[in-house]
Amino acid sequence: MKLESLYQEIILDHYKHPHGKGLAPNFASEVHHVNPTCGDEITLRVSINPANPDLLLVSYDSQGCSISQASASILFDQLNDQSFETGEKAVEHMVAMMQRTQEPDEDILGDGIALVGVAQYPARVKCALLSWMAWKDAAIQAGAEVPNNTEIANSTELGEGK
Amino acid sequence: MSALNVAAIRADFPILRRTVRDERRLVYLDSGATSQKPFQVLDAERNFYETCNSAVHRGAHQLAEEATDAYEAARANIAAFIGGRPADLVFTKNATEAINLVSYAFLNATLKSQQGKDLPPGSEKFILNAGDEIVVTEMEHHANLIPWQELCDKTGATLKWIALTDDGRLDPKSIQEVIGSRTRIVAFTHQSNLLGTINDVATVVTRAREVDALVLLDACQSVPHMPVDVAQLGVDFLMWSGHKMLGPLGIGCLWGREELLSAMPPFISGGSMIETVTMQGSTFAPPPARFEAGVPMAAQAVGLSAAVDYLRALGMDNVQEHEHMLTQAALTALSAIPGVRIIGPTDIKDRGSAVSFVVDGIHPHDVGQVLDDLGVAVRVGHHCAWPVCRRYDVPATTRATFYIYNDLDDVDALVQAVVAAKEFFGA
Ligand SMILES: Cc1ncc(COP(=O)(O)O)c(C=O)c1O
């Protein structure tokens, strides 16, 4: 079975025991993204850390397949209470990993490198990227620094069906 | 015992010889999305291109004559398959386009009448007025829902829908209540692509006639799988896609009553659908040409005609009986797996071969992935019928659909793969 390369143990752990799931009452922005081909959904909220306005707090609620759920849980681990720059870099890296144009880097993605197997299954790539695209959308709406406008235009294309 | 010789049938389908995912036998259970194609269909299409390829209804040469003959002979053969006349059968790109052709007849007639333009006699049937209603059901494919939502959005008509019972059927009470004096057309599916339910057409037609509403039947999941006769059904429009019944991609059919087709303004316009053209305006050809603008898909029509021959030789009664046998086996075996729940009727009566299910604790997408790894091709998701998933409170389903080339081994492979998925995810 090639399945083990897709569903690494670490992915199944995140799926069964998701980190940080549940919406925070206060937020600067909220987005709802869906994957129209399979019905995966995520609501993601971003707020500014009151103690340090450079850092963004993340909360989310979601439903969907193991890949989309595990990916959201990993996103929480990696991006909660991080700067927009750190998060944006991670999103870009995740996208590149899915497009197989970059080797996974654990320093950037943490457990997210275990999602590398998804790249072999094009139909599942959207599942893996759903929460990351939602985060970027929400972070921008929350008024986070936007260094380069064209990149946002590109990324919403990948986000699909807000 | 099966009503069909599956081994002989399988030999006609080249794709069934290939393997998938590490040399596994392909167990194709996604014919509800699109069916595979036998040699006979592929050969018919190739033969058209090799012998008489040219633009139908246009050239002054022998090839064009032969191509036109082949195209019109295909129309006659396909129309006869559903008990219709060739003049009442329009070729479209697929069923989706056929439904849009009818919904746009309403829109275009309404717009033209508001501007006092000339319309064909009988077009009042298609002119919508304030307070008019369009009726669909809660089990429609998006193809038979969105065009009506759009029509209502543009004209101010109101969309209403017939509710479903918990066991996946049209609610008989709702049929009587929702179809009313303001209903202009009732558009519904013959067989649900998600639930497998075969609807009782007669009940809906009877109620629609009481209020003088038109009836459109989406036959995408019935024409390929059971005997269908338009006269017996008593509907006004019926459409389906060729690719789900062994035919090529890129061709669908709309059958309509002669007096209605004649009263409808065109949908897509351009070459081949006109009578006279001046710079000031044009008049339109009678149906079916009025609705076939541009150079038509003649090779696909010829291929679909070969598909009709293939199915006719098997006998649609036998096709239905064979699928019935497989569906019963699948329903029984899947229901016996702990944690598996069928979405749709569990009773084989008035039920087709689309079997949707959910597995406790495993998302349908993940079920589908394990099945795929074992060579079992199914569809997962909302199957273009999102409101049905909402109605039964599931995010999505895994769906197997059976056809003439499937056998009990395929049902076994499905069942074992579902058990394997449960083991893999520890559910
Ligand atoms: C019941 C039903 N209606 C309509 C359609 C639309 O068919 P097509 O996509 O070929 O136009 C389908 C196929 O997916 C279907 O199953």
Side-chain angles (χ1 to χ4, degrees):
Chain A
M1 283 217 223
K2 274 207 284 187
L3 278 185
E4 280 81 7
S5 70
L6 177 64
Y7 295 116
Q8 295 186 29
E9 208 51 52
I10 219 164
I11 302 287
L12 295 178
D13 275 352
H14 274 281
Y15 172 47
K16 287 175 186 162
H17 311 287
H19 301 177
K21 194 164 170 171
L23 291 168
N26 300 321
F27 54 92
S29 68
E30 175 184 275
V31 298
H32 181 74
H33 280 208
V34 303
N35 177 350
T37 52
C38 62
D40 290 350
E41 299 186 36
I42 188 166
T43 303
L44 189 142
R45 292 177 177 172
V46 162
S47 59
I48 316 287
N49 184 336
N52 179 349
D54 283 343
L55 301 179
L56 302 174
L57 300 173
V58 180
S59 72
Y60 71 98
D61 194 18
S62 62
Q63 66 160 26
C65 67
S66 59
I67 300 298
S68 71
Q69 301 307 289
S71 187
S73 170
I74 292 166
L75 174 133
F76 179 83
D77 283 355
Q78 294 307 115
L79 302 194
N80 184 40
D81 214 12
Q82 298 291 323
S83 69
F84 180 75
E85 290 68 32
T86 304
E88 197 194 26
K89 193 169 154 207
V91 173
E92 268 170 27
H93 194 83
M94 182 60 91
V95 172
M97 186 172 90
M98 289 300 141
Q99 293 168 340
R100 297 204 247 182
T101 55
Q102 209 156 65
E103 289 303 311
D105 183 339
E106 191 166 3
D107 289 341
I108 301 175
L109 293 183
D111 286 353
I113 60 169
L115 288 165
V116 66
V118 176
Q120 291 170 41
Y121 294 91
R124 303 304 292 273
V125 165
K126 272 186 195 159
C127 312
L129 292 182
L130 183 70
S131 51
W132 300 77
M133 291 303 154
W135 177 87
K136 185 161 175 179
D137 191 6
I140 289 166
Q141 287 185 32
E145 263 323 277
V146 182
N148 181 342
N149 274 320
T150 52
E151 276 173 30
I152 295 148
N154 290 339
S155 73
T156 38
E157 240 167 66
L158 274 161
E160 171 105 7
K162 272 190 257 175
Chain B
M1 253 309 281
S2 169
L4 300 178
N5 179 349
V6 175
I9 290 171
R10 289 181 69 86
D12 289 333
F13 289 78
I15 205 169
L16 297 179
R17 290 180 211 154
R18 67 161 287 177
T19 56
V20 291
R21 304 281 182 217
D22 301 333
E23 303 300 307
R24 290 187 184 273
R25 180 173 86 91
L26 168 63
V27 178
Y28 188 75
L29 300 181
D30 198 18
S31 300
T34 197
S35 73
Q36 297 303 346
K37 327 296 175 198
F39 279 124
Q40 290 82 344
V41 168
L42 305 175
D43 287 351
E45 224 181 322
R46 166 176 280 269
N47 184 56
F48 176 89
Y49 285 121
E50 286 183 353
T51 62
C52 63
N53 178 53
S54 56
V56 161
H57 288 309
R58 289 192 181 184
H61 49 81
Q62 186 179 344
L63 292 188
E65 235 168 61
E66 290 179 16
T68 304
D69 284 351
Y71 182 64
E72 292 305 330
R75 190 194 307 277
N77 191 35
I78 296 163
F81 187 63
I82 54 143
R85 299 182 328 139
D88 304 335
L89 191 92
V90 179
F91 287 127
T92 61
K93 181 176 71 171
N94 49 29
T96 302
E97 186 182 284
I99 295 168
N100 275 275
L101 196 161
V102 179
S103 70
Y104 270 84
F106 279 94
L107 178 67
N108 292 338
T110 305
L111 291 179
K112 287 195 181 198
S113 94
Q114 283 165 1
Q115 294 174 33
K117 298 277 161 65
D118 275 350
L119 278 165
S123 59
E124 318 78 59
K125 279 262 172 212
F126 298 92
I127 298 168
L128 295 174
N129 299 301
D132 281 348
E133 295 168 359
I134 309 284
V135 171
V136 295
T137 81
E138 210 178 351
M139 67 164 75
E140 296 313 309
H141 187 283
H142 295 167
N144 196 30
L145 172 60
I146 322 294
W148 305 113
Q149 288 181 339
E150 283 289 292
L151 176 65
C152 290
D153 198 42
K154 291 171 194 163
T155 60
T158 304
L159 187 72
K160 297 198 145 187
W161 52 91
I162 296 166
L164 309 185
T165 62
D166 288 342
D167 60 347
R169 309 257 176 210
L170 294 184
D171 181 346
K173 218 172 109 225
S174 183
I175 293 174
Q176 302 306 322
E177 285 169 5
V178 172
I179 303 173
S181 60
R182 296 313 303 265
T183 305
R184 303 298 306 278
I185 186 167
V186 182
F188 72 113
T189 191
H190 202 177
Q191 192 204 128
S192 159
N193 68 309
L194 193 149
L195 301 167
T197 318
I198 295 175
N199 287 318
D200 177 15
V201 177
T203 305
V204 177
V205 169
T206 304
R207 177 67 187 137
R209 294 306 175 220
E210 285 169 11
V211 299
D212 203 22
L214 296 172
V215 178
L216 174 151
L217 192 64
D218 173 357
C220 274
Q221 299 291 345
S222 60
V223 168
H225 302 286
M226 63 171 114
V228 167
D229 183 286
V230 287
Q232 202 187 328
L233 290 168
V235 298
D236 297 306
F237 297 102
L238 178 137
M239 63 280 298
W240 76 98
S241 284
H243 68 91
K244 294 180 200 280
M245 59 175 296
L246 313 179
L249 293 162
I251 184 162
C253 300
L254 166 70
W255 173 88
R257 281 187 199 282
E258 180 190 9
E259 66 276 17
L260 294 173
L261 289 177
S262 305
M264 286 158 57
F267 168 39
I268 291 170
S269 52
S272 297
M273 50 76 75
I274 50 84
E275 209 167 49
T276 60
V277 178
T278 68
M279 290 314 290
Q280 285 69 39
S282 307
T283 58
F284 307 122
R290 185 186 302 165
F291 304 107
E292 294 181 356
V295 174
M297 60 301 259
Q300 289 90 327
V302 168
L304 182 56
S305 181
V308 158
D309 289 338
Y310 193 96
L311 287 170
R312 195 185 274 129
L314 295 178
M316 290 311 292
D317 284 321
N318 294 328
V319 169
Q320 186 172 26
E321 191 182 325
H322 175 74
E323 289 184 23
H324 214 72
M325 184 265 298
L326 297 178
T327 307
Q328 177 70 75
L331 287 172
T332 306
L334 287 171
S335 308
I337 304 173
V340 171
R341 182 160 57 98
I342 306 289
I343 306 297
T346 46
D347 176 1
I348 191 75
K349 191 174 169 297
D350 293 330
R351 197 195 198 294
S353 82
V355 178
S356 272
F357 58 94
V358 290
V359 185
D360 276 353
I362 319 179
H363 191 275
H365 223 156
D366 295 316
V367 175
Q369 198 78 54
V370 177
L371 266 53
D372 170 63
D373 201 59
L374 295 169
V376 180
V378 294
R379 186 164 171 196
V380 300
H382 49 61
H383 316 286
C384 301
W386 211 334
V388 186
C389 290
R390 296 192 203 287
R391 167 63 179 83
Y392 295 102
D393 203 21
V394 290
T397 76
T398 304
R399 181 191 74 180
T401 46
F402 303 101
Y403 208 15
I404 56 171
Y405 34 67
N406 295 122
D407 57 15
L408 286 171
D409 288 347
D410 294 345
V411 176
D412 278 348
L414 168 69
V415 170
Q416 280 168 28
V418 172
V419 171
K422 284 191 53 170
E423 275 163 18
F424 185 82
F425 286 100

